[in-house]
Amino acid sequence: MNRIFSGVQPTGNLHLGNYLGAIRNWVALQHQYECLFCMVDMHAITVWQEPAQLKANTREVAAGLIAAGIDPKKNILFNQSQVPGHAELAWVFNCVARLGWLNRMTQFKEKAGKHRENASVGLYAYPNLMAADIMLYKATHVPVGEDQKQHLELTRDIAQKFNNDFKTEFFPLVEPLIFGVASRVMSLRDGTKKMSKSDPSDYSRINMTDDADAIAQKVRKAKTDPDPLPERPDGLETRPEAANLVGIYAALSDQAVEPVLARYAGAQFSAFKNDLVDLAVAKLGPINAEMKRLMADPAQIDAVLRDGAQRARALSEPILAQVYDIVGFLRP
Ligand code: TYM
């Protein structure tokens, strides 16, 4: 049976990278698969979060997913900490994964930076918890942006080692689903850096909560180069900022890059940016409005998450019980 699991950290505003790289694909996939979509609050606290802000962000991200088109009745929408199996399976995986594997994780190196000794143990073990998220439901497919690819390879390694160690075929080897022209959306200020919640400049990203004025300002200020737009994609190879804006336009208008360039070849960025603003406002405006409407009723969002967590617990409990049995834990 095919089952999807994917997650998003409630650490701040959802941005265009989250939307184009992941959430939009989830909306499309929800009709073909059984899906679980998780606000990974336990991953969030691997770096410091203000408690009240974490609660608000968790609700806001849930509202963002629903506003983008995720149906919380058809799919399971929940926050990770309401399902204890995530932490429990993560402990088993802490004992399966090897230090050497975690030492290779580029995201840890980027996030810990020069202050490695000061990073939380949770940040280091983050990929094991992510593997547990997925394997707790024996999910077979995980739709994510390009930046999560290495974590999914590790998830496969952990599942494989568990199966080998315990001479079982218990865990499936998960397939990443990374697709679309915008699987890696870059910063609007620097086309070589990923668009990210943690970038100190708000001008580096378009947030799902930005209104039309903010979107217009950010797109107009986005870094470009002096040349007009090229005719073909190979003309973008050494122009990261131009490639990023064209990629965003293509993704938002559901086209490949070629037809976008066919239309804008030779155009100046000022004209292209005007059209990109109109397109982004037309696509994100309705999501933004719906998000605001949902956020006005936090109790309703909490009810959705409670219901999702109950359904997630029902799926996860028998799987965790089997894992504990395989590992050799005495059960009541
Ligand atoms: P997070 O919260 O950083 O991002 C959520 C999703 O958005 C994608 N994404 C991007 N895609 C394209 N361009 C970008 N600039 C960009 N920035 C973010 C991410 O690839 C992701 O799909 N570790 C995960 C959360 C997680 C998870 C999981 C995901 C925890 N457990 C289990 C899948 C399965 C993360 O930090 O995503």
Side-chain angles (χ1 to χ4, degrees):
M1 193 211 30
N2 287 330
R3 182 178 280 167
I4 275 184
F5 182 98
S6 203
V8 55
Q9 294 197 66
T11 44
N13 289 319
L14 286 176
H15 55 68
L16 193 63
N18 299 132
Y19 178 62
L20 294 178
I23 298 165
R24 206 172 66 134
N25 295 344
W26 303 354
V27 174
L29 290 164
Q30 65 181 331
H31 305 294
Q32 301 158 39
Y33 293 85
E34 178 190 15
C35 300
L36 295 108
F37 298 119
C38 186
M39 280 23 82
V40 289
D41 46 11
M42 292 164 65
H43 278 107
I45 64 161
T46 56
V47 298
W48 172 250
Q49 304 296 321
E50 283 302 331
Q53 197 57 48
L54 180 60
K55 288 182 185 173
N57 286 341
T58 303
R59 291 191 182 106
E60 188 174 281
V61 169
L65 299 195
I66 299 169
I70 300 287
D71 177 352
K73 292 217 166 63
K74 187 174 181 306
N75 308 286
I76 299 183
L77 198 65
F78 70 111
N79 59 308
Q80 192 182 26
S81 60
Q82 286 203 52
V83 181
H86 291 258
E88 292 171 313
L89 185 57
W91 180 257
V92 175
F93 285 174
N94 283 344
C95 304
V96 173
R98 306 289 95 182
L99 284 180
W101 301 357
L102 292 182
N103 285 339
R104 285 197 287 275
M105 294 295 110
T106 52
Q107 195 153 309
F108 174 76
K109 289 184 202 162
E110 274 164 29
K111 283 199 178 173
K114 293 191 198 82
H115 311 288
R116 195 187 147 97
E117 297 297 311
N118 264 336
S120 72
V121 175
L123 189 66
Y124 188 69
Y126 181 116
N128 296 346
L129 177 59
M130 183 160 158
D133 295 341
I134 300 164
M135 289 298 116
L136 186 60
Y137 306 95
K138 290 189 167 187
T140 52
H141 295 79
V142 181
V144 284
E146 181 74 38
D147 61 338
Q148 296 301 315
K149 201 170 165 192
Q150 195 187 32
H151 286 157
L152 295 183
E153 281 160 11
L154 187 89
T155 301
R156 290 169 66 101
D157 290 344
I158 291 174
Q160 182 98 64
K161 181 161 164 47
F162 181 96
N163 287 349
N164 287 346
D165 288 352
F166 295 102
K167 302 192 176 35
T168 168
E169 306 264 293
F170 189 73
F171 285 123
L173 296 187
V174 72
E175 289 292 336
L177 297 176
I178 300 172
F179 59 88
V181 270
S183 62
R184 189 170 177 84
V185 178
M186 309 309 279
S187 156
L188 300 181
R189 309 298 292 161
D190 177 351
T192 63
K193 269 173 49 189
K194 183 178 79 166
M195 183 179 285
S196 135
K197 288 171 215 171
S198 53
D199 192 312
S201 167
D202 200 47
Y203 277 92
S204 69
R205 63 186 158 258
I206 293 174
N207 300 311
M208 300 295 285
T209 47
D210 284 345
D211 61 18
D213 284 347
I215 293 175
Q217 270 194 17
K218 288 177 179 182
V219 171
R220 296 217 170 93
K221 280 198 181 215
K223 188 175 168 200
T224 45
D225 56 47
D227 295 337
L229 283 150
E231 272 170 35
R232 289 202 318 274
D234 55 8
L236 291 169
E237 269 163 21
T238 52
R239 301 172 65 186
E241 285 83 15
N244 190 37
L245 292 183
V246 171
I248 291 173
Y249 187 103
L252 283 173
S253 57
D254 292 308
Q255 311 178 59
V257 166
E258 287 82 357
V260 177
L261 291 181
R263 177 163 170 204
Y264 288 100
Q268 295 301 320
F269 269 103
S270 49
F272 175 74
K273 280 180 168 182
N274 283 339
D275 289 0
L276 180 56
V277 168
D278 290 346
L279 176 64
V281 170
K283 292 283 172 174
L284 301 179
I287 301 178
N288 186 327
E290 178 62 5
M291 226 172 135
K292 285 208 176 98
R293 193 186 69 75
L294 293 165
M295 288 294 288
D297 189 357
Q300 179 55 34
I301 298 176
D302 291 358
V304 164
L305 294 178
R306 212 167 33 243
D307 170 66
Q310 200 179 349
R311 288 155 63 206
R313 278 196 298 272
L315 284 181
S316 67
E317 278 163 7
I319 295 176
L320 187 70
Q322 289 176 69
V323 172
Y324 276 10
D325 181 56
I326 290 170
V327 168
F329 293 160
L330 275 181
R331 308 295 295 151

